[in-house]
Amino acid sequence: MIMRMRKYLAALTATAALVGGGTLVGVAGATPAAASNTCNLYAKESTIGVGNAGSSVERAQCEVNYDMRYHSGYQAIAEDGKFGSKTRAAAQAFQACVGLTTDGIVGPNTWSWLDAYYMEGSSC
């Protein structure tokens, strides 16, 4: 219960830091935990799913890879900006990890959790 509340509060904090179409504004200490894995936090947080392509997809792929890096059995996906079946499966794995509906669509709720985990350097 405490862990779920901690995750929820982290997601709320990350969501509060986002303004106007997903542009990250200055928040003290809000930097990626690992400089070697820098996702484009300025890419728009559009609702994306299979068939979509572009910078939003590439950002989601990057964040999922980072957030799932220590999850048992997780295989990193290509960060190619193309939302296919592997990206959908990775999104579903992340959604299951944080207790969201596992639809494989990266919408507002999934973005909030992805951002929260990425910004605090957490892993599922």
Side-chain angles (χ1 to χ4, degrees), residues 4 92 94-103 109-111 113-114:
R4 184 168 291 279
Q92 287 174 313
F94 178 77
Q95 290 167 333
C97 177
V98 297
L100 294 174
T101 300
T102 55
D103 58 8
N109 289 336
T110 303
W111 277 118
W113 284 95
L114 283 170

Side-chain angles (χ1 to χ4, degrees), residues 1-85:
M1 179 70 168
I2 292 173
M3 185 62 153
R4 184 168 291 279
M5 289 199 59
R6 182 176 163 266
K7 289 179 181 180
Y8 177 74
L9 290 173
L12 284 177
T13 301
T15 301
L18 297 174
V19 175
T23 302
L24 189 66
V25 296
V27 176
T31 57
S36 62
N37 186 329
T38 305
C39 299
N40 178 6
L41 297 181
Y42 296 102
K44 187 175 180 186
E45 291 183 350
S46 304
T47 297
I48 52 176
V50 173
N52 290 119
S55 60
S56 294
V57 175
E58 189 172 349
R59 175 181 174 181
Q61 292 167 328
C62 179
E63 288 193 43
V64 168
N65 279 338
Y66 183 78
D67 296 347
M68 296 290 287
R69 68 195 178 283
Y70 300 124
H71 191 76
S72 178
Y74 178 75
Q75 296 291 315
I77 56 173
E79 295 174 17
D80 59 5
K82 298 175 186 171
F83 202 121
S85 60

